[in-house]
Every structure is written in structure tokens, then in C-alpha cells.
Amino acid sequence: SDLQKQEERGELLQPLVFVLLVVCSVLLYFRVSLMDPGFVKSEEEAKADKSEEQSMVIPQVPSNIKMRRCGYCMVKQPMRAKHCQLCQHCVRRYDHHCPWIENCVGEKNHPLFIVYLSVQLIVLLWGAHVAWSGLYFEQSWDWLQHNVLLLMSFLLIVIFTTVVLLLLISHLYLISCNTTTWEFMSHHRISYLRHSESENPFDQGVILNLWRFFC
């Protein structure tokens, strides 16, 4: 049959890989949106000063900066944590609250969020290529009537691709500097950055920043 011939020629491999990428993207979406982004729990107050994050940043941060208690959930905030009023929790290494996934992006799910964006970008670029390959332009009303849905799909994919690409690039840049979106946008309001001698006390070089983040 035609299906068997296509399978023998390897023509079914690309659609299969595309479907697997789409499924992987959906699973990553649910994983990132449902997982704990790094909520600070009240029972961790006694151990906050000895946490891994504290041990790494204490030598680089002025000694007069003390841990403060959150005015909303009343837990001691570790360094780089912030209270999210939408999630009603303090989040370790808070980056931002993403309306796309309806969850915070923080210490625990930030690396997986980057993986999700990368897979999503591949799916969108592949979809844009498929949509573009199906378009053959003619200056006629009949052509527009028959291709309007495909043309709109292509334009919509291009918009989403641009958004995801810019988001991924911005996150990779911030990760390479070992800073977060919140710290980058609110540098003048954060005490441990405002009183620091260096502009970014957490920066340890691009390679080490990326290694510590992903590994």
C-alpha cells in the first residue's frame, strides 16, 4: 500500500517526530505549570540561614543585609526570594509569575521552563515551515478564499514564534548573568542589590552561571 511505501522511504519519520515534539511540549507545559516553583515553607525557617542559596551568596553580599520576614505569609525570606500575591506564597529565586502557565517561575521549575520554551520554539518553527510550504501566492480572489485559513495560521504561528524566541533569548541572557527577571527589572528596589558594592553580586562568569543553573 501507499502507507507501506512511504514507511519504507522514511517519509513517515518526520511527521512522527513532529507529533512526538508536540506531545513533549504539552507534557512539559503541564509539568511546569503544576509543579512547585520553589515555595518557601514555614517549617524551613530554622534552616533558612543554612540553605544552599545562602551559603553561596553570603560571601558576595554585604554583611549588614539581614533576612527579612515576609509581610504577607510571615515566613523568613531566603536571599533572592519574593512573595507572589497571585500564588500567595514566597518563591525561592523568584523570576516572575507567568500568566502563560498560571504559575510562578522560580528555583525549581526555571530550568524546565527554559526546556519547555526551547521545545515550543522548535514546534512553532517547524509548523511555520509546513504552513509556508503549503502556500503558493496568486493575485486572485479565488486563491484568497481557498487559502485564507492557511494564511491566517501562518501569520499566527509567526507571531507566537517571535514572542517565544524573544522570551527565550531574554531568559538565556539573564541566566548567563545569574540574575532574574525580577532582579533585573527592580534592581533599585531590592535591598541586597541596592547596598551591594558590585552591580550584580551573584555573577560568576557566563560558563559557571550556566553550569550552576542547568546542572
Side-chain angles (χ1 to χ4, degrees):
S1 64
D2 292 339
L3 189 62
Q4 289 178 333
K5 292 180 180 178
Q6 288 178 340
E7 185 178 359
E8 291 174 358
R9 292 195 298 264
E11 294 178 359
L12 297 180
L13 181 61
Q14 286 190 359
L16 180 61
V17 173
F18 180 77
V19 171
L20 289 175
L21 283 172
V22 172
V23 173
C24 181
S25 175
V26 173
L27 293 176
L28 282 170
Y29 172 83
F30 283 109
R31 175 62 177 164
V32 174
S33 62
L34 296 176
M35 73 181 296
D36 177 6
F39 294 135
V40 180
K41 300 176 183 179
S42 57
E43 56 264 27
E44 295 178 354
E45 289 183 10
K47 299 180 182 179
D49 291 333
K50 298 180 182 179
S51 65
E52 181 181 352
E53 296 81 4
Q54 287 291 304
S55 62
M56 286 194 301
V57 302
I58 281 178
Q60 302 169 332
V61 179
S63 58
N64 60 335
I65 302 299
K66 298 180 180 179
M67 290 181 62
R68 70 185 189 91
R69 191 175 292 276
C70 176
Y72 295 96
C73 54
M74 302 306 295
V75 298
K76 274 190 175 181
Q77 285 186 337
M79 191 71 69
R80 311 187 78 176
K82 182 183 181 297
H83 183 86
C84 175
Q85 296 191 21
L86 294 174
C87 292
Q88 295 296 310
H89 283 287
C90 286
V91 181
R92 293 179 180 273
R93 202 181 182 278
Y94 175 86
D95 188 86
H96 70 288
H97 183 92
C98 180
W100 195 348
I101 62 173
E102 281 297 325
N103 193 12
C104 281
V105 175
E107 180 184 73
K108 290 186 177 180
N109 66 346
H110 199 172
L112 202 60
F113 180 73
I114 299 300
V115 175
Y116 164 68
L117 288 180
S118 302
V119 175
Q120 189 68 48
L121 181 62
I122 295 173
V123 171
L124 287 169
L125 288 173
W126 199 333
H129 171 72
V130 172
W132 178 259
S133 64
L135 289 171
Y136 56 95
F137 294 97
E138 295 180 4
Q139 293 183 353
S140 66
W141 178 249
D142 289 337
W143 176 88
L144 185 61
Q145 283 183 318
H146 286 90
N147 293 273
V148 62
L149 291 178
L150 185 59
L151 187 60
M152 290 176 62
S153 299
F154 174 75
L155 294 176
L156 193 62
I157 291 174
V158 169
I159 293 173
F160 279 117
T161 302
T162 303
V163 172
V164 173
L165 179 62
L166 293 175
L167 190 60
L168 182 60
I169 291 174
S170 64
H171 273 276
L172 289 176
Y173 169 74
L174 293 176
I175 292 167
S176 68
C177 300
N178 198 359
T179 188
T180 63
T181 303
W182 172 58
E183 290 171 342
F184 181 78
M185 299 295 291
S186 307
H187 187 279
H188 61 287
R189 294 164 47 197
I190 303 173
S191 59
Y192 60 81
L193 294 180
R194 191 172 65 248
H195 297 101
S196 175
E197 294 179 359
S198 59
E199 184 175 351
N200 182 9
F202 308 111
D203 188 6
Q204 296 178 304
V206 175
I207 296 177
L208 191 56
N209 290 338
L210 292 173
W211 175 264
R212 286 185 180 276
F213 181 85
F214 288 106
C215 305

